[in-house]
Each structure stands twice: as C-alpha cells, then as structure tokens.
Amino acid sequence: MSGIDITVVGEDGTSRPVEWEDHQNLLDALLANGFPVLATCGGNASCATCHVFIDPEHIDASGERTDAEADLLSMIDDVATEHSRLACQTEFVTEMAGATVTLKAGM
Ligand code: FES
C-alpha cells in the first residue's frame, strides 16, 4: 500500500497535510482524515455534498468528470467552477501528489 501527500484546506480556511492512500478515492481520504464531509448520497454522485476545488496545477491530473458528476456540477453552477470535482468521483492517481484540495464551505 502506498500513498501521496496532498494539502486539504478545510471549511474554516486552515490547511493541513493529508496522506491519500492508493486504495481510497478522494472522499475516502477526506473522511479517513476526519474532515466533516456529509457525503449524503454515500458516494453515488447524486448529492454534491462532497464538492471540492482542485488547485489549477492539478485539476487535469484529477481526471475526467464522470457523466453523472458533470450533470450534478452543472446544477450547482452558481458555486461550481472549472476546478470543481466531486470527491467521491475522484480516483487516486499519483499525479495528484502535492495537490491542494479545498473543501466547499458549508458542505
Ligand atoms: S457523496 Fe454525494 S455526490 Fe459525492
């Protein structure tokens, strides 16, 4: 088992390092590190409570949005940006090492 180091900026604006392990998607990593992500739909791309922003240098590395994810993000386009992902749909890739993930305030 191996992992990568990322930085997570919490809803209160403070950041801390997080180890993202290769068997986890991003939502799993956030929950395992104690971030209060509601994840109301249980990771099925249908609630958007796991909405995060990926820093500009790593958004491409985070992969393509799934169809369901793209649909959901388009429904919250008042807050979603080109740097938005659903953490539950963001799979581990080593290219995300060093990324900064910002939690959406009010999740
Ligand atoms: S947990 Fe519901 S969309 Fe990700």
Side-chain angles (χ1 to χ4, degrees), residues 27 39-50 72 86-88:
L27 175 62
T40 313
C41 76
N44 289 309
S46 58
C47 73
T49 58
C50 68
L72 193 54
L86 297 178
C88 69

Side-chain angles (χ1 to χ4, degrees), residues 35-94:
F35 288 95
V37 182
L38 287 177
T40 313
C41 76
N44 289 309
S46 58
C47 73
T49 58
C50 68
H51 177 204
V52 299
F53 299 106
I54 310 290
D55 72 86
E57 290 77 33
H58 290 89
I59 184 64
D60 289 345
S62 77
E64 295 284 321
R65 292 175 180 169
T66 64
D67 289 345
E69 178 181 13
D71 285 350
L72 193 54
L73 288 173
S74 73
M75 284 183 234
I76 57 166
D77 61 1
D78 53 330
V79 290
T81 74
E82 61 187 321
H83 299 135
S84 294
R85 292 296 314 266
L86 297 178
C88 69
Q89 303 300 303
T90 306
E91 300 299 333
F92 177 95
V93 287
T94 56

Side-chain angles (χ1 to χ4, degrees), residues 15-36:
S15 63
R16 65 178 164 99
V18 163
E19 182 165 5
W20 182 358
E21 297 178 2
D22 61 4
H23 62 94
Q24 299 170 319
N25 64 27
L26 182 54
L27 175 62
D28 295 333
L30 293 172
L31 293 175
N33 282 277
F35 288 95

